[in-house]
Amino acid sequence: SKEEADKLTVLVMADDKSGSIFAHPSPDKAIINGEYSEYMINKVVEDIDSLGYGKITMMTDKEVAMTSLQTKVQRRRHKPVIPQNAPKGDSQSNGLAEKAVRDVEEAVRTMRSCLESDMGAKLPVGHPVISWMVEAAADYINRLRESKPGSTPLEIIRGQHQPRKMADFGECIFYLPPKAIRGGTNKADKMFAQGVWVGSNSRPAEPSLASGT
């Protein structure tokens, strides 16, 4: 229905130590027979491992899909995951996650409005670029918003200052392709290519990359 086409379900996680937020679009909740997809399980495990912790406590409500995801992550992760569940719908018991959801919603609304203004056109929620925008919104929060005086979530996790200047989502940019893609070009040839900025790779062990199209 049109009402459903205007909606996008998003899984949001928040880390209470660093203030980091992770957000992943989940079309149709990415649930098969009441369970999240393998893709979503792997993304959650990657997010947790990127924080660099050993044993963690993973808190969610008692919704069936969420407790199932919690169990799968507990089995998939190589380090201990201690489950802790609040009553379904009890937002006060998991206020950090509730705030993270609001922060992502606000960021996506702002980014969508800015991109629509630049394009001069309406961007439907079902468009694939919205999925990129959701993940980019969480990344912008982690890179640019201070969760502690003088430090962003990403700086807390990495233990060092990180550049806080980034391109706007959807901005046309020049980027330097990896050597494997450029090949053995002549030094007189142009090195940069044109692309559209749709986010960065914020994994601590990997460099940040512009996504070119």
Side-chain angles (χ1 to χ4, degrees), residues 41-42 44-45 48-49 54-58 66-85:
I41 295 167
N42 289 333
V44 171
V45 173
I48 295 172
D49 288 344
K55 181 174 70 175
I56 66 157
T57 297
M58 185 176 181
M66 293 304 301
T67 55
S68 175
L69 175 66
Q70 190 181 51
T71 300
K72 294 288 183 64
V73 171
Q74 190 177 23
R75 293 174 180 170
R76 187 72 53 85
R77 191 168 183 258
H78 297 301
K79 296 179 181 179
V81 176
I82 310 302
Q84 182 177 340
N85 298 315

Side-chain angles (χ1 to χ4, degrees), residues 75-148:
R75 293 174 180 170
R76 187 72 53 85
R77 191 168 183 258
H78 297 301
K79 296 179 181 179
V81 176
I82 310 302
Q84 182 177 340
N85 298 315
K88 184 178 178 180
D90 184 1
S91 60
Q92 291 184 348
S93 298
N94 204 3
L96 180 69
E98 294 291 332
K99 183 180 183 303
V101 169
R102 292 194 299 271
D103 288 345
V104 170
E105 288 176 345
E106 292 170 0
V108 170
R109 279 197 297 268
T110 301
M111 293 165 66
R112 181 187 180 194
S113 178
C114 290
L115 185 56
E116 288 178 341
S117 178
D118 291 341
M119 293 170 54
K122 186 73 174 177
L123 191 62
V125 173
H127 194 286
V129 77
I130 296 293
S131 294
W132 287 91
M133 188 178 291
V134 166
E135 299 202 355
D139 185 52
Y140 280 138
I141 292 172
N142 293 338
R143 290 176 178 274
L144 304 176
R145 182 183 299 179
E146 293 185 359
S147 59
K148 294 182 180 179

Side-chain angles (χ1 to χ4, degrees), residues 171-176 190 192-196 210:
E171 183 177 350
C172 294
I173 62 169
F174 287 101
Y175 71 100
L176 183 65
K190 66 178 183 179
F192 288 83
Q194 289 183 302
V196 176

